Amino acid sequence: MATQAKILKSDPQSLEACAQLLRDDALVAVPTETVYGLAGNALSVAAVRKIFSVKGRPLIDPLITHFKHANAAFSQVYVPESARALAAAFWPGPLTLVLKKRPGIPDLVTAGLSSAAIRVPNQPVMLALLQKLDFPLAAPSANPFGYVSPTRPEHVARTLGHKIGAILDGGHCQHGIESTILDLRDSDSPRLLRPGPIPIDDLASWLDRPIHAAEKTVPEAAQTSPGQLTKHYSPRTKLEIVEHGQLNYRGSTGEAVVANNKPDDAGQKNLFWLAEDGNLETVARNLFDLIQKLDHMQFRRIVVEAAPESGIGIAINDRLRRAAAPS
Ligand code: TXA
Ligand code: MG
């Protein structure tokens, strides 16, 4: 029988143990500032193959490669000036750039595409681990394909713990939703592939040009941005969204009701909130954690209030819509 991976505190011995597992082509769940990643040596086809199989992820869905610093990342791709400017402003941080790739990162990582998705994460434990390695880490979110992303080590332990070498503890992830993904292959027309913690308006003002949203997903477009597939990040319990400000706090029998902020009269057992004061950064941070908690209670349905559609609220609503999409 497979053994359950340990959740390792980030002391020097544990960091070295995780580094050694990775050098040996094993997989380690790692903390990032967005969500936990399922990491393997990005330059080892054997390790990358394990990532796809452990996650149950189709091989057409490319992975993000994580680097210790921008120079390491930029050695693997062709770098327009705009990418350098964004990296200087937002790395380390929750921004993933899609750029034309140079020979180096295996085709398996990029699903045969001529581009690679790269980022430098901003999480001290993850950066300390990367410093110990002489290769970058390919890492999708550390959840079974299609399920809600993990924002605590226990989420990973519950779903993938029996299939991986170790889980490195970085606590509750700071942002709680996955990185913003920007396609800069054509730097004259940057495209947003996935909204995230860095709002699109911030990127547009930094670049001083408009950013277009990626076109709506049709099946053929799956390979340009598979994360755009509608059904993604879903709990097993049916999830329904209610417009911001329109939530009925009572709910009906068997329903969990989830508000953005704590309602004045918050006495009911089936009433939950994502941030006491409704702060959207906090809403994002708690979203996947609360959804997973509710998914393990016996609710018939989870009804969630949408965020206001601006700033990080755009990314929150994107994740809610995917979680609510019919399969
Ligand atoms: O915050 C994050 O980005 C987390 C942490 C672990 O870094 N990672 C994450 O990975 O969310 P994942 O695999 O769950 O989502 C990565 C997304 C996928 O939707 C994939 O399609 C897209 O990145 N992607 C990767 N390479 C791409 C490429 N060359 N072109 C377009 N999209 C790409
Ligand atoms: Mg994911």
Side-chain angles (χ1 to χ4, degrees), residues 35 55 57 140-143 145-147 149-150 178 194 232-233:
V35 300
K55 196 175 151 91
R57 181 176 175 119
S141 50
N143 51 289
F145 184 70
Y147 192 63
S149 293
E178 306 85 346
R194 182 174 71 187
H232 214 75
Y233 318 105

Side-chain angles (χ1 to χ4, degrees), residues 34 57 61 64 66 115 117 119 140-141 178-179 181 194 224 226-227:
T34 57
R57 181 176 175 119
D61 198 348
I64 297 173
H66 300 69
S115 59
R119 87 177 187 98
S141 50
E178 306 85 346
S179 61
I181 306 183
R194 182 174 71 187
T224 343

Side-chain angles (χ1 to χ4, degrees), residues 192-307:
L192 184 76
L193 297 182
R194 182 174 71 187
I198 299 178
I200 181 170
D201 294 347
D202 291 12
L203 297 174
S205 61
W206 210 267
L207 289 174
D208 200 19
R209 72 191 70 156
I211 294 175
H212 303 284
E215 57 281 353
K216 270 242 167 310
T217 301
V218 289
E220 311 82 78
Q223 217 188 335
T224 343
S225 185
Q228 299 299 109
L229 292 172
T230 315
K231 187 72 181 171
H232 214 75
Y233 318 105
S234 299
R236 280 175 295 268
T237 315
K238 192 171 157 43
L239 189 142
E240 229 174 77
I241 313 170
V242 171
E243 257 179 70
H244 186 71
Q246 301 296 310
L247 192 65
N248 165 12
Y249 294 138
R250 298 240 153 258
S252 43
T253 321
E255 265 179 14
V257 176
V258 181
N260 280 196
N261 58 301
K262 184 176 180 183
D264 291 336
D265 175 16
Q268 288 146 244
K269 278 229 278 286
N270 66 332
L271 181 56
F272 303 84
W273 51 92
L274 288 159
E276 187 122 353
D277 59 359
N279 175 287
L280 286 187
E281 302 284 333
T282 314
V283 167
R285 183 166 194 231
N286 290 329
L287 181 68
F288 289 154
D289 188 37
L290 183 59
I291 287 179
Q292 292 186 60
K293 190 172 122 198
L294 296 177
D295 202 20
H296 288 91
M297 296 167 72
Q298 300 304 315
F299 288 109
R300 183 169 55 81
R301 190 155 57 164
I302 305 170
V303 181
V304 188
E305 178 185 23

Side-chain angles (χ1 to χ4, degrees), residues 62-85:
L63 306 176
I64 297 173
T65 304
H66 300 69
F67 297 85
K68 60 184 119 186
H69 47 56
N71 280 349
F74 286 158
S75 69
Q76 297 287 349
V77 289
Y78 294 94
V79 191
E81 212 27 67
S82 55
R84 264 181 224 292

Side-chain angles (χ1 to χ4, degrees), residues 94-126:
L95 174 66
T96 296
L97 298 176
V98 170
L99 292 165
K100 283 188 200 121
K101 79 175 200 179
R102 295 177 185 275
I105 298 176
D107 285 342
L108 189 60
V109 174
T110 58
L113 295 172
S114 56
S115 59
I118 55 172
R119 87 177 187 98
V120 178
N122 188 18
Q123 209 290 349
V125 177
M126 173 66 161

